[in-house]
Structure formats: C-alpha cells, structure tokens
Amino acid sequence: MLRLISLKTGLGQTVQAQLYSMQQRHVEDFEGFWRGILHELGQDDEFWSWAMKKRLTASDDRFEAYALEFEGLTQGLMWIETQWHRSWVNSAYRIVYIEALASAPWNRRRLEDPPYLDGVGTALLLFARRRSVALGYEGRVGLHALPTSEGFYERRNMTDYGQDPDKEDLRYFEYGRLLQP
C-alpha cells in the first residue's frame, strides 16, 4: 500500500481507502465487476484494457498504474506516463500525463446519485499532482478527457485548451505549476 486516502461515502461518512500500485486483483475487479456495468450503461471506457496497461507498466518504466481500493474492492484506477509529455503552455516543462483515469461505475455521480464513494476521481487526480511534484515537475499534470468527463475536469479547475485534432478531437486539460504558499 502506498497511502491512505480519505473519501466520503454517498451518505457523507468519512472512510479510509488504500492507494496501491496496480495489482492483478485490480484488473480482475475491472473485468469481473466493472466491465459488464460499463457495457450495460454504454460508458466510453468500457473497452479499456487495464490488463494491457498493467503489462506495459511492468515492462516500461515511463508508465505507472495505481488502484484505489476500499473494503477489498477496486474503486478507481489510473494509468500515468511520467517522462515523455510536455506542457502545452510551455514545452520546456515536463508533466505527468494521465493516460487513463476511471472510477468504478457505482462511484460516478452521473450514474449513481449519491455515489457509493464520493471523490475517487478527485483523489486519483490529486495523487497525479503529488507524483508530478515528487518528479520535480512542480505539480503539472495533463490529460485528454473523454466527452462525458469534460465537466469533471472543469470543476477541478483544470485549464481547458480545447480539442486536439491529433487525439481524436478530445479536449486537452492541464494543471499548471502548484503555487507555493
């Protein structure tokens, strides 16, 4: 386990989830619990292969994969790239690039209101910023958002740089450097 993350249940109770480097059990949770629900609800990420992401992470040190777990079940997944991406604002700066970020279907407010756990995606996004700081990138994080997730990133105050024709016209979002207090 990397760290404990405080989240709220849909009923407002604070709970402690665990953040792990992705393990096979997390891939199995996605395949066994998430995928069928995502398919039934027509979610854009239903076809993502977390098994492939885990394999690539094991063979290429540019990639890192994480899972947020609560009560023995995977609640969120994130796959990041840490070496090749640069800021859209100033290409002199490296960023942590979020290749994929997903909350379990029962944690998505647009699917389940209230969600089982509130804040899973936000917690993973904040962890990506922490990794950026740890790598010396000053908190810079970027990603291309699925259309159904654009509002999520806007509400997290990421800057929207518009559609990227090189990435299937997905909108590109980025956090700049964290300001020092």
Side-chain angles (χ1 to χ4, degrees):
M1 179 179 60
L2 297 172
R3 67 179 50 213
L4 291 174
I5 305 282
S6 292
L7 298 172
K8 294 229 182 247
T9 67
L11 302 174
Q13 177 187 4
T14 300
V15 296
Q16 296 295 311
Q18 301 82 33
L19 183 70
Y20 292 95
S21 291
M22 186 184 295
Q23 306 292 314
Q24 184 59 34
R25 71 179 183 273
H26 303 121
V27 173
E28 291 167 2
D29 283 352
F30 177 84
E31 293 297 334
F33 297 109
W34 298 28
R35 189 180 298 278
I37 298 168
L38 295 173
H39 178 73
E40 275 184 40
L41 299 173
Q43 298 299 291
D44 293 334
D45 58 337
E46 74 174 283
F47 298 108
W48 286 358
S49 173
W50 289 95
M52 180 278 301
K53 293 168 181 20
K54 183 180 177 307
R55 278 193 309 275
L56 193 52
T57 298
S59 65
D60 188 332
D61 66 357
R62 294 179 297 134
F63 295 102
E64 298 175 8
Y66 299 96
L68 197 59
E69 191 177 299
F70 177 66
E71 294 185 336
L73 185 62
T74 305
Q75 304 293 329
L77 296 166
M78 182 172 65
W79 188 45
I80 62 175
E81 191 284 321
T82 62
Q83 297 173 27
W84 283 9
H85 286 81
R86 301 283 179 164
S87 170
W88 274 31
V89 178
N90 182 337
S91 63
Y93 297 116
R94 290 179 187 238
I95 65 169
V96 165
Y97 181 79
I98 298 175
E99 296 280 355
L101 187 152
S103 291
W106 48 86
N107 295 325
R108 299 178 188 193
R109 187 171 300 280
R110 70 181 182 277
L111 302 178
E112 190 74 29
D113 196 8
Y116 176 65
L117 288 178
D118 195 19
V120 171
T122 301
L124 290 169
L125 191 58
L126 291 174
F127 180 74
R129 289 204 91 181
R130 287 187 189 106
R131 281 296 295 138
S132 174
V133 168
L135 292 165
Y137 304 162
E138 300 179 313
R140 292 180 179 87
V141 172
L143 59 88
H144 287 85
L146 294 172
T148 55
S149 299
E150 292 170 359
F152 172 80
Y153 297 110
E154 289 169 353
R155 289 187 300 278
R156 298 319 168 280
N157 297 314
M158 291 188 84
T159 303
D160 179 352
Y161 288 96
Q163 291 180 303
D164 182 355
D166 295 330
K167 191 80 167 181
E168 302 172 16
D169 284 329
L170 295 175
R171 297 189 82 75
Y172 179 77
F173 290 84
E174 188 172 305
Y175 276 130
R177 135 180 126 77
L178 281 170
L179 301 176
Q180 300 301 319

